[in-house]
Amino acid sequence: MANLATKVCGVTMDPPLVLASGILGVSAASMARVVRCGAGAVTMKSCSLEPRAGHKNPCVLPFEHGMLNAVGLSNPGVAGASKVIAEFRTLSRAPLIASIFAGSVQEFGRVAERIAEARPDIIEVNVSCPNVHSEFGAPFGGDFDATAAITRAVKDAAGAIPVAVKLTLQCPSIGRMAKVCEDSGADAITAINTVGPGMLLDLATRRPILSNGVGGLSGGAIFPLALRAVFEVRRHTGLPIIATGGIATGDQAAQMILAGASVVGIGTGVYTRGVTVFEEVARELGDWVDSTPERSLEALTGAAHG
Amino acid sequence: MANLATKVCGVTMDPPLVLASGILGVSAASMARVVRCGAGAVTMKSCSLEPRAGHKNPCVLPFEHGMLNAVGLSNPGVAGASKVIAEFRTLSRAPLIASIFAGSVQEFGRVAERIAEARPDIIEVNVSCPNVHSEFGAPFGGDFDATAAITRAVKDAAGAIPVAVKLTLQCPSIGRMAKVCEDSGADAITAINTVGPGMLLDLATRRPILSNGVGGLSGGAIFPLALRAVFEVRRHTGLPIIATGGIATGDQAAQMILAGASVVGIGTGVYTRGVTVFEEVARELGDWVDSTPERSLEALTGAAHG
Amino acid sequence: MDDRMRTWPLLEVVEHNPGLKSFYFETDSEVQPGQFIMLWLPGVDEKPFSVSDVDDGRLEVTVKAVGPFTRKLMECRPGERLGLRGPFGRPFAPAEGPPPLLVGGGCGVAPLRFLHRHLERRGLSSTFLVGVRTAADLMFREEYAGGLAMVVTDDGSLGERRLLPDKVGELLANQTYGTLCAAGPEVVLSTLKKLAESRGIPSELSYERHMKCAVGLCGECCLEDNGLRLCVEGPVLRHPLPR
Amino acid sequence: MDDRMRTWPLLEVVEHNPGLKSFYFETDSEVQPGQFIMLWLPGVDEKPFSVSDVDDGRLEVTVKAVGPFTRKLMECRPGERLGLRGPFGRPFAPAEGPPPLLVGGGCGVAPLRFLHRHLERRGLSSTFLVGVRTAADLMFREEYAGGLAMVVTDDGSLGERRLLPDKVGELLANQTYGTLCAAGPEVVLSTLKKLAESRGIPSELSYERHMKCAVGLCGECCLEDNGLRLCVEGPVLRHPLPR
Ligand SMILES: Cc1cc2nc3c(=O)[nH]c(=O)nc-3n(C[C@H](O)[C@H](O)[C@H](O)COP(=O)(O)OP(=O)(O)OC[C@H]3O[C@@H](n4cnc5c(N)ncnc54)[C@H](O)[C@@H]3O)c2cc1C
Ligand SMILES: Cc1cc2nc3c(=O)[nH]c(=O)nc-3n(C[C@H](O)[C@H](O)[C@H](O)COP(=O)(O)OP(=O)(O)OC[C@H]3O[C@@H](n4cnc5c(N)ncnc54)[C@H](O)[C@@H]3O)c2cc1C
Ligand SMILES: Cc1cc2nc3c(=O)[nH]c(=O)nc-3n(C[C@H](O)[C@H](O)[C@H](O)COP(=O)(O)O)c2cc1C
Ligand SMILES: Cc1cc2nc3c(=O)[nH]c(=O)nc-3n(C[C@H](O)[C@H](O)[C@H](O)COP(=O)(O)O)c2cc1C
Ligand code: FES
Ligand code: FES
């Protein structure tokens, strides 16, 4: 089978399939298991300076076409996350991406500085979580200047550790936003976070089902939106792209590669196809690469733009 | 069964199920048939000042979770549309909503003036089509000032005919946008248009499948986004709402009513459930209304906010 | 093959006459005679074509070059990947009882040929009449020259020199058929419809209109009088018509 | 009932002891003993509960009031609508061969009772032992007081005065069982696991951890040592463990 190993910001992921942030990313043991199930790298659940409790249940809500979630960024804080990184290193040699968020530009810098000490392979900057408006104001990810400032602050704090900025569709132009990140020093783009938010109501009680009222949309429903986002990011920048959004098959992963992704993130696919989705997508992706004249993922990356 | 007849801007729709714009809305005969299949009102395909050819095929692309389309607003121009209105009046007594779009504020006024002469029951202003960027610039629907100006221009031209503004999610806040429309004189809000746009690629040819490259996302995938949009519009305004986006069942229609919709639009549901979707949703909606203590749609409208 | 677009390698191309070819694709779908597929030439356009046979896992469409799309299609070679979605639409549904009369005019021969073979494979008999302007327009000439179908041409270059509707009138007068199944130019169809009506038998007629979505949404293919969508309620309509 | 949230009317509530009740819902789902559902009190919270029986289209859960959620639940009356999604997780799968030993401790009685009835309805025999601190903690006391199950209590208020693991040790020493199936506090489970190991029989143990998503995404329920998700790979784990 084709060699799928892929280098992003100097970090080798084999296969180029990454566990997306917020999925099974709270403990070292669970991330190590995801690696045993075929992931080439894992992303931790986003962490903040201090621990956060998150929202009450229901906070995850499957529906016919995907999933709504409003977990509320529950996390053990950067200190707890750093311990998890250290523990993960004892269990697995796969690359680990730490994900961070914060309520201000300065705080992003502080969290980055702290997490950098734990030496993750990449720091992913979550400027785009749709579930924490009230506490942190509108998501930074919709604002070019705020995103630029956060990117610079995190880069300053991260030292040699590469920084990926995770973008949202809830912005005027995701392509231009990616360019802003590139110009501000980002080393990679992750696209996309959940879409919306959305809502589902229960007819009997007439209430939103999610305890938070609304939640971010993920899964199959958003695949075409994520694909087009990746296509746009590639048109606007030369940065490597971690493509995330609705991917659960090799066909979808391949579309992302053609659109410009270097590696592919899987979140909700762990639900729709089970945790061995990584093994399965790797096999399907490999078969596809083998069926092309190029027989090389790198040569296929962005080929839809050719 | 419960009486479902609903008055919106003085126009009675029975049942309160509207054929959404762009679906079977090009000829009088097809709209009349949709009424025979149970729709309480029909919306015409959006028309512009001059005729437009639209995009080549493929321009409509079903996928697992919905549909992408980039029909490109093909239409016979306002003169042709006016003839269709006249013909529809000879075939059906159901209310007809004319949908208009244009490339400038002034032109919106001119199209409104012309279409008003044909006396549709409501004029719907499509400020939000995602498929005509290049020719008309970024969609007006993302810009508060542009949408306000268009609303005023159309209201001025429409005389006594009520005006509904059709909003998109691709704006900073759909609730605030609705308020802007209300303040500018709109009589109703239609929410939402298609989402995105999105893209799907063919692996073999490595091209986007849609001739236009990208297309608007509709159908089941967007229902939670549309529901939350309607909820937000209701929170920000007192205007009646025509809720559109992913609705194909009575349960979904009922969720929209609870979120604040007065009537419900169905587009892609005509594909997923067949053209008799209107009859079926009316029956299901009626059963639900009968199962509530209120037994009245009006009393249930917006009840999720209570 | 389903409603979603997917590309398939072209397995084989057979030229019947200049500008008249059959194209073969692998298929995994149940297709009924009278149904059509949407054929996508990437970068060019996508157009509807009747399926002219499905046999042994191979789907066949037979196309006449009439304009830009069909001319481009004539240049396609085996191995190229073309997009297919479908099958779409209501197929022929001849009534049980006396055998049907199958009538194909021009490109309308394609779906009737599938119907004819389909009935034959089920041990059902039918009478098959094809009519074209001139011999060079005839799809599957090889087959029909051998007598599998009655052939009429406007110019007498093959089979009887006769206008198609005249021949149908004669057949209907001399024998009892269960259903008249036909495809061809709309003017021909409306004459055939009247002939069937006057004999008191139902007709199943396939109409060719421009199609865009093929899934019943865009309204492009709707009939002017009753709003029926030819891509869903058609392309084969039974007379008298449904709602 | 499925993965998606839906509200169902509460059909009936049966009080076993103060703060210990069974709740009944209509159901259309196949549920296996050992599986759990997520129960939503709108406006309050949503928590996991083992199904304690499914009989005649009625799903039963049996709950002990231990905190804010379960106390609120005790106030629910028939007719109220509560949300359910599920069933989730891996059920008990006792090996074929000699009958299993079923052991329920505390609230762990609930899933074992379902398993016991389930086996009974299939004509399969099993030995059923339940253990609680004191008689008032026993779910289905009415049933077990009658001898359907062996009962041990820490304080001797019902059945034998005996610690649950001791009793299990005795049973295992005196008879051959195919599988040890158990649910209860984790400390008890780890003792039982060792007992089964020392006898060389597999154990199927149900673990109760806090759950959030119940569909294998959030990571809340993962085991510290191997990362298994109790909502998917559990709550019933077979020892030795899978990957
Ligand atoms: C349900 C359905 C089934 C069809 N089945 C077949 C089939 O099996 N084989 C086939 O060859 N075509 C079939 N067609 C017609 C086919 O779609 C057209 O031939 C095609 O659109 C021509 O595209 P073009 O760009 O080459 O020519 P266009 O530019 O679209 O047309 C060129 C000229 O040819 C005329 N024309 C279009 N179609 C025909 C026709 N069928 N016969 C004569 N003149 C025509 C047009 O009116 C125009 O004047 C079918 C159409 C429909 C709706
Ligand atoms: C798979 C699974 C199946 C379950 N099945 C059942 C069941 O059938 N019946 C049932 O009553 N409960 C069951 N539980 C436990 C149930 O989910 C908890 O009782 C519930 O979360 C308590 O919520 P609360 O807000 O009332 O109390 P909390 O505030 O969550 O807890 C209050 C106190 O009780 C303790 N506690 C929690 N659960 C238990 C327990 N089961 N026994 C003793 N102490 C406990 C907590 O640690 C805490 O100290 C199950 C849990 C899981 C994970
Ligand atoms: C339950 C859940 C929790 C998530 N939590 C986070 C998070 O903490 N940080 C983050 O950047 N993204 C988070 N996401 C977003 C995912 O990482 C991913 O970007 C998104 O779900 C789209 O990918 P998918 O369709 O494969 O799930 C979460 C998604 C889900 C479903
Ligand atoms: C094929 C197609 C064409 C459409 N054309 C228009 C249009 O011309 N004008 C408009 O305002 N909306 C148009 N729409 C958007 C619909 O009216 C509707 O807002 C959207 O599809 C969401 O509803 P649905 O999920 O029920 O389809 C179109 C949608 C589709 C699928
Ligand atoms: S081709 Fe679109 S409705 Fe028939
Ligand atoms: S409860 Fe979320 S992974 Fe198990």
Side-chain angles (χ1 to χ4, degrees), chain A residues 20-22 45-46 69 73 126 166 192-194 218-219 244-246 267-268:
Chain A
S21 179
K45 170 116 195 115
S46 301
N69 93 79
L73 292 172
N126 179 3
K166 183 165 183 182
I192 56 174
N193 211 311
T194 54
S218 65
T244 309
T268 307

Side-chain angles (χ1 to χ4, degrees), chain C residues 111-188:
Chain C
L112 272 305
R113 182 222 190 203
F114 184 13
L115 177 59
H116 181 242
R117 295 191 150 208
H118 179 86
L119 294 171
E120 225 173 46
R121 286 193 280 257
R122 272 153 196 72
L124 298 169
S125 66
S126 60
T127 303
F128 189 13
L129 170 67
V130 301
V132 284
R133 224 170 20 82
T134 181
D137 290 345
L138 184 59
M139 298 171 167
F140 315 109
R141 188 176 169 176
E142 340 56 278
E143 282 171 40
Y144 303 138
L148 243 177
M150 282 179 272
V151 179
V152 298
T153 49
D154 295 0
D155 65 359
S157 53
L158 194 71
E160 239 181 297
R161 175 175 177 162
R162 196 78 180 276
L163 291 178
L164 193 61
D166 292 354
K167 183 69 182 177
V168 172
E170 179 191 308
L171 292 170
L172 289 179
N174 293 329
Q175 202 183 316
T176 308
Y177 296 97
T179 312
L180 174 63
C181 298
E186 282 201 33
V187 287
V188 175

